[in-house]
Amino acid sequence: MAGVSHLPPEVLLSKRVQEMVINGEEPPAPYICRHVDATPEVSAALSPVPIIDLSLFSSSTPETKQKELQKLRSALSSWGCFQAIGHGMSTSFLDNIRQAAKEYFEQPMEEKKKQAKGVEEFEGYGADPVPAEGQFLDWSDRLFLDVYPEDRRKLRFWPERPESFRGLLEEYSLKIKMVTEITSKAMAKSLNLEENCFLTQFGERAQYQARFNYYARCHRPDLVLGLKPHSDGTGYTIILQDEDGLQVLKDEQWFTVPKISEALLVLMGDQMEIMTNGIFKSPVHRVVTSSEKERISVIVFYTPEVNKEIRPEDGLINEERPRLFKNVKDYADIHMEFYNRGQRALHTAIV
Ligand SMILES: O=C(O)CCC(=O)C(=O)O
Ligand SMILES: [Fe+2]
């Protein structure tokens, strides 16, 4: 096949990874990671990512509730993420979401290109905007959609096919809203804070953005990543996966997050680290590629409302733990600038 490795990133990013795979092309040079990562990897079977049962926060004895809150606090202080079960969504409903995403990506390119985004835009079907020079590209395609506040939706990017897509996304987002409410309250209680404090910081016009990721098979999983290492600029992020592939960095090891059919991964972003004055960790994570299986994930980014200042909770600042972070506004934008250069942005918020 004709090689494409001489093409610059902005040209490559106007093509889809899925197209390259269908055409039998080798990963072009900009997709090849240029450093050798010697960090050990822990397989899904051996990764003890904590599991939290959200249903125990509403219907259980005070002792059981307290125990689960402690588990939550410990999970978020050490891992920065947990697998949520008992969230009120059935496994068959989650499978319907996985299936709709799969059917979307399985459609012919012309169909998906109806939602095509510009190379430098965020919303729509495509890839991340062109990164800074020297950064490698991600072996993935994605569909990115603003979901809430509702008046921010751009329906021209919402697929009409598969037919179930829009309805399922609507239903899923409503349920995710309930999950964020339960989770935000439980996180506050686990830190002995007033239960609505994080919800108030996120604001009434908190943002929910959905991202459907398609990680194509790749001949060279040793050289190519589905998504480069990063932390999220969100408040926190909720991830539904259909295969293993996501890895979280902890204790200098990459832990593969096991796919559990009934679970959603809740992962802290930098803004929760700021609001908890550094108690909850926003973990670095990445997605590896596989030569055997493609992978789909459905992500909801949950971020404080535009233009709203957030700050470390007063109740988490004391003599032993002085204030670590400044008040910040629209941190996700700063995060994006650094992300583009393959860097973290959290240090910009340190006092
Ligand atoms: O696909 C995944 O599992 C993770 C995606 C992710 O980390 C992101 O979109 O920020
Ligand atoms: Fe992420």
Side-chain angles (χ1 to χ4, degrees):
M1 295 306 307
V4 286
S5 52
H6 59 285
L7 296 174
E10 53 279 18
V11 177
L12 288 170
L13 289 172
S14 65
K15 295 168 62 118
R16 302 284 53 82
V17 167
Q18 195 175 13
E19 285 177 290
M20 292 192 259
V21 174
I22 291 168
N23 296 340
E25 294 167 18
E26 289 297 314
Y31 288 90
I32 309 289
C33 305
R34 277 171 287 288
H35 60 267
V36 178
D37 182 355
T39 311
E41 288 181 41
V42 182
S43 70
L46 297 174
S47 288
V49 179
I51 297 176
I52 303 283
D53 184 346
L54 298 184
S55 71
L56 297 180
F57 297 134
S58 50
S59 58
S60 65
T61 61
E63 297 76 44
T64 314
K65 207 178 282 185
Q66 208 47 46
K67 236 174 98 189
E68 205 65 5
L69 286 174
Q70 273 167 18
K71 247 173 86 182
L72 177 70
R73 178 181 175 146
S74 149
L76 295 179
S77 315
S78 54
W79 286 85
C81 65
F82 64 88
Q83 302 256 38
I85 57 167
H87 43 60
M89 285 181 250
S90 66
T91 307
S92 63
F93 176 69
L94 296 180
D95 283 341
N96 290 344
I97 305 289
R98 293 180 177 105
Q99 183 61 25
K102 190 171 154 64
E103 284 174 23
Y104 173 75
F105 288 111
E106 275 172 355
Q107 296 179 108
M109 247 341 127
E110 311 83 76
E111 190 60 37
K112 287 174 293 205
K113 287 194 171 167
K114 290 182 184 161
Q115 290 84 46
K117 65 190 261 311
V119 169
E120 288 301 343
E121 281 157 21
F122 282 98
E123 214 167 341
Y125 172 65
D128 266 353
V130 181
E133 211 176 323
Q135 295 299 308
F136 57 84
L137 307 182
D138 300 320
W139 194 251
S140 55
D141 299 328
R142 46 108 155 155
L143 173 69
F144 189 100
L145 302 170
D146 274 329
V147 179
Y148 289 113
E150 236 177 289
D151 56 22
R152 290 175 70 92
R153 289 184 190 178
K154 296 189 197 75
L155 288 180
R156 68 175 187 280
F157 291 123
W158 287 47
E160 284 176 14
R161 288 195 204 152
E163 266 172 33
S164 59
F165 192 99
R166 287 184 172 199
L168 280 171
L169 176 56
E170 183 81 68
E171 197 178 342
Y172 184 61
S173 327
L174 272 174
K175 290 185 166 156
I176 288 288
K177 264 189 149 180
M178 277 152 42
V179 171
T180 55
E181 192 167 318
I182 297 167
T183 305
S184 295
K185 287 184 177 176
M187 292 196 292
K189 283 197 240 167
S190 80
L191 295 162
N192 302 316
L193 299 169
E194 188 279 311
E195 71 170 4
N196 289 313
C197 67
F198 295 128
L199 288 170
T200 308
Q201 291 225 50
F202 275 89
E204 284 189 357
R205 286 179 54 82
Q207 303 173 76
Y208 293 78
Q209 293 160 311
R211 178 168 157 163
F212 297 80
N213 292 307
Y214 174 80
Y215 301 95
R217 282 189 195 93
C218 181
H219 296 310
R220 298 304 307 266
D222 53 330
L223 296 178
V224 176
L225 283 174
L227 190 55
K228 65 183 175 185
H230 67 284
S231 67
D232 287 357
T234 52
Y236 54 99
T237 306
I238 299 185
I239 300 172
L240 175 69
Q241 50 175 354
D242 77 340
E243 290 293 343
D244 296 344
L246 173 63
Q247 298 184 328
V248 172
L249 189 63
K250 179 175 178 284
D251 304 329
E252 290 162 40
Q253 296 177 83
W254 288 114
F255 285 91
T256 307
V257 177
K259 178 225 161 178
I260 303 178
S261 301
E262 70 270 30
L264 298 166
L265 184 79
V266 178
L267 181 133
M268 297 298 102
D270 287 357
Q271 301 199 53
M272 272 312 293
E273 184 157 341
I274 294 171
M275 288 188 258
T276 60
N277 200 28
I279 296 178
F280 291 172
K281 301 291 180 284
S282 160
V284 172
H285 52 286
R286 68 176 187 182
V287 177
V288 293
T289 50
S290 158
S291 54
E292 281 152 34
K293 288 178 180 165
E294 58 185 27
R295 174 176 183 270
I296 284 169
S297 62
V298 180
I299 316 289
V300 177
F301 296 117
Y302 177 47
T303 309
E305 75 179 46
V306 171
N307 248 316
K308 191 165 187 312
E309 202 164 65
I310 59 142
R311 52 163 216 293
E313 282 296 326
D314 291 338
L316 302 176
I317 302 173
N318 52 45
E319 266 180 31
E320 277 151 47
R321 179 174 278 278
R323 186 182 175 126
L324 275 177
F325 298 106
K326 302 186 269 210
N327 291 16
V328 292
K329 202 163 82 169
D330 297 330
Y331 173 84
D333 297 344
I334 308 166
H335 173 270
M336 199 30 89
E337 277 172 41
F338 280 82
Y339 177 84
N340 222 13
R341 304 198 290 263
Q343 294 165 4
R344 292 198 68 176
L346 199 54
H347 65 277
T348 65
I350 288 176
V351 286

